[in-house]
Amino acid sequence: MKGVLFVSHRRIRVFDTTLRDGEQSPGIALQPDEKVEIALQLERLRVDVVEAGFAGASPGDFEGVRAVSGALTSPTVASLARTRFEDIDAAAEALAGARRSRIHVFIATSELHMERKLGLEPQQVVEQARDAVAYAASLVDEVEFSCEDATRSDQAFVARVCRVAIRAGATTINLPDTVGYALPFEYATFLSNVRREVPELREVTLSVHCHNDLGLAVANTLAGVHVGAEQVECTVNGIGERAGNAALEEVVMALNVRSDYFATATAVDTTEITRASQLVSQLTGYPVQPNKAVVGANAFAHEAGIHQDGMLKDERTYQIMDPARLGARTTLPLGKHSGRHAFARACAEHGVELVGDELTAAFRRFKERADAGGVVALEDLFEGVSA
Ligand code: KIV
Ligand code: ZN
């Protein structure tokens, strides 16, 4: 078409780790059948990779990975593994039934973790990473390698380990902000620097994995995408270790709503997001806070009169995304901040047409009731109207 510039969107892969990092939230222990139920919803959501667990961690986790591997047809199924060969063997065995399998090998690269946690010299870490990746690559379709605590690691050392892992067969390199320490611009600079030092990274998928200790997991993930990351690791509802992981629904919708800025696209079917959020909340027992972005009960609720008035005239005044795109809907709860316009509309929707003095009197009674606190239920409302 003359005069139209077609810009192709860069594809971002969504790696969901709800069943692994998300399950590491205190108190969550999903049974294999529950993992399958969530994994099937993640498949409907069209994520690219489902990390089903850490097969070497426990017999239950092994069974979970095995059950998910046998249940999914589209997404790649992944299992986490330390650099120990017994972990890798367990992962490969649990993944045997997967249509496409991935072992996610990790080892820490920060001085603090190497010295205090692992008791290893940097050279030993390099060798373990190399040997583990090579071994995993001989057993499954794909190998992802993560430098745990990458953002607190020496950059040159991270670059060295990445180079070795790629040479050994890793097809995805993940540079996590394991303890949620990085700031968005700093994380972007870190990723750019490592990319510059390791040109081989252009031949594999660069992944970001951010924790939420400072509430920056989503911002850091987006900063990573901005500088070229092609895979985002996240969990439904942002569940995960400590303050959690980057929330899938927030990352996906930020990329979606602001595709004008990022020029990227995921394969996610956003209309399945609300269902996924509710299922994960139900099976993990972790409630979703009402004001949670994208999936909270109030994410598309407008109580203030000025906002309700705007919404009734044009929903774009106070909504940046159509809730129908998420399988959700707009609500205009009636409370102390609500306006006459929304009140009259709610009455009309319930068959009570009020105008003039009648409306004024009913609205006054409603406000008195609403001032007492909370949202006014429709029954109360009509009780007030007919009184
Ligand atoms: O946060 C982290 O570093 C991890 C790795 C195991 C990838 O979860
Ligand atoms: Zn993590």
Side-chain angles (χ1 to χ4, degrees):
M1 219 189 307
K2 219 174 161 189
V4 176
L5 179 65
F6 288 101
V7 181
S8 66
H9 280 33
R10 187 162 60 92
R11 172 82 153 78
I12 303 297
R13 279 163 215 295
V14 175
F15 176 109
D16 181 277
T17 182
T18 306
L19 301 178
R20 197 278 296 171
D21 221 341
E23 205 210 15
Q24 287 175 214
S25 308
I28 300 181
L30 294 164
Q31 299 309 302
D33 61 321
E34 294 173 322
K35 284 202 171 191
V36 167
E37 204 178 333
I38 292 174
L40 289 171
Q41 179 59 25
L42 293 172
E43 181 164 51
R44 284 189 283 275
L45 198 57
R46 297 209 209 112
V47 305
D48 298 282
V49 184
V50 171
E51 186 166 52
F54 181 171
S58 72
D61 232 12
F62 179 92
E63 276 314 314
V65 176
R66 183 152 64 182
V68 170
S69 298
L72 297 189
T73 44
S74 307
T76 297
V77 183
S79 171
L80 189 68
R82 290 169 295 184
T83 49
R84 299 181 184 182
F85 280 25
E86 61 266 31
D87 271 17
I88 295 170
D89 284 333
E93 195 185 330
L95 290 166
R99 191 195 52 83
R100 194 155 182 85
S101 53
R102 176 183 298 192
I103 294 181
H104 178 187
V105 175
F106 76 100
I107 191 164
T109 50
S110 66
E111 225 174 281
L112 180 68
H113 278 234
M114 290 190 290
E115 195 184 312
R116 307 290 298 165
K117 186 184 79 173
L118 300 174
L120 292 175
E121 292 298 324
Q123 179 58 25
Q124 292 174 295
V125 167
V126 172
E127 286 164 11
Q128 285 199 15
R130 180 198 59 205
D131 296 348
V133 169
Y135 183 52
S138 71
L139 302 174
V140 288
D141 298 316
E142 303 167 7
V143 177
E144 170 167 338
F145 175 74
S146 288
C147 296
E148 192 190 12
D149 206 18
T151 51
R152 294 194 301 167
S153 305
D154 176 71
Q155 219 164 268
F157 184 62
V158 169
R160 180 177 164 209
V161 179
C162 288
R163 238 177 266 121
V164 165
I166 295 169
R167 214 173 302 134
T171 48
T172 299
I173 294 289
N174 182 36
L175 298 176
D177 183 30
T178 302
V179 288
Y181 177 74
L183 303 174
F185 25 87
E186 193 183 23
Y187 191 46
T189 305
F190 165 72
L191 295 169
S192 301
N193 289 346
V194 175
R195 266 187 127 196
R196 195 171 332 103
E197 276 189 57
V198 188
E200 302 92 307
L201 270 172
R202 307 220 169 250
E203 309 305 317
V204 299
T205 302
L206 176 62
S207 178
V208 286
H209 175 118
C210 302
H211 280 268
N212 208 29
D213 300 65
L214 292 174
L216 294 170
V218 171
N220 282 334
T221 302
L222 297 175
V225 171
H226 182 57
V227 295
E230 293 132 335
Q231 177 178 281
V232 290
E233 305 201 358
C234 34
T235 60
V236 174
N237 298 337
I239 60 170
E241 285 279 358
R242 308 180 307 281
N245 289 59
L248 178 145
E249 61 279 3
E250 295 179 25
V251 171
V252 165
M253 289 316 291
L255 295 177
N256 190 312
V257 171
R258 296 308 311 274
S259 62
D260 61 317
Y261 180 81
F262 287 105
T264 58
T266 69
V268 167
D269 175 357
T270 62
T271 62
E272 293 291 340
I273 283 180
T274 301
R275 241 187 305 273
S277 165
Q278 288 168 353
L279 181 66
V280 168
S281 176
Q282 180 201 323
L283 293 180
T284 59
Y286 268 50
V288 176
Q289 72 195 57
N291 59 321
K292 165 85 176 60
V294 182
V295 292
N298 292 347
F300 301 101
H302 309 264
E303 196 207 275
I306 294 169
H307 290 218
Q308 291 182 330
D309 184 53
M311 285 295 294
L312 290 170
K313 290 170 176 157
D314 185 333
E315 296 201 345
R316 290 171 303 175
T317 53
Y318 289 103
Q319 269 178 189
I320 58 166
M321 46 196 148
D322 179 356
R325 279 165 68 191
L326 297 154
R329 62 184 192 90
T330 297
T331 57
L332 302 179
L334 295 173
K336 70 176 275 193
H337 308 103
S338 300
R340 194 179 157 97
H341 189 175
F343 174 75
R345 163 95 158 224
C347 293
E349 275 172 4
H350 289 82
V352 185
E353 293 285 352
L354 295 173
V355 286
D357 291 348
E358 230 184 358
L359 174 59
T360 305
F363 186 58
R364 197 182 329 110
R365 283 196 297 275
F366 154 72
K367 278 282 181 173
E368 281 161 11
R369 199 168 289 223
D371 258 339
V375 167
V376 178
L378 284 176
E379 309 79 66
D380 294 352
L381 173 66
F382 292 120
E383 207 182 288
V385 167
S386 58

